[in-house]
Amino acid sequence: MIIKYDLNKFFKENKLVKTKFAKRIGMSKQLFNYYLNKGDISLSMLVAIAEELNITPQKLTKILNNDYIKIKIW
């Protein structure tokens, strides 16, 4: 199964700064935005976002799966 998330909506609703995360995981701002627009999230992105929100990566995955799924392909 392939899941694409509406990560731009997630960042906006949680008032998260994209540039901060790109720098934190060693990615250019442009590449980070590319992945956000595409809806893909890497493990390093997931961990960085979870740490910023002070939650576990598992909890963040649950939040994304409940509220931010853009496309689900079986």
Side-chain angles (χ1 to χ4, degrees):
M1 174 175 22
I2 297 171
I3 299 174
K4 303 280 184 173
Y5 298 103
D6 191 345
L7 297 171
N8 285 312
K9 179 181 175 186
F10 174 79
F11 269 74
K12 187 175 183 178
E13 288 181 358
N14 289 284
K15 298 180 174 109
L16 300 173
V17 180
K18 297 175 194 176
T19 307
K20 180 179 179 179
F21 288 98
K23 185 176 182 180
R24 187 170 177 184
I25 61 175
M27 189 180 287
S28 71
K29 180 182 171 185
Q30 293 81 6
L31 185 58
F32 189 75
N33 278 325
Y34 169 78
Y35 283 112
L36 289 183
N37 291 329
K38 193 173 173 191
D40 292 340
I41 188 165
S42 68
L43 184 56
S44 59
M45 287 173 70
L46 183 76
V47 170
I49 295 167
E51 286 176 356
E52 183 68 23
L53 296 173
N54 293 316
I55 59 176
T56 65
Q58 294 84 0
K59 174 114 172 129
L60 177 57
T61 302
K62 186 174 182 179
I63 291 168
L64 291 173
N65 284 333
N66 287 336
D67 300 324
Y68 297 98
I69 291 180
K70 182 169 36 175
I71 299 170
K72 188 184 279 189
I73 302 169
W74 297 94

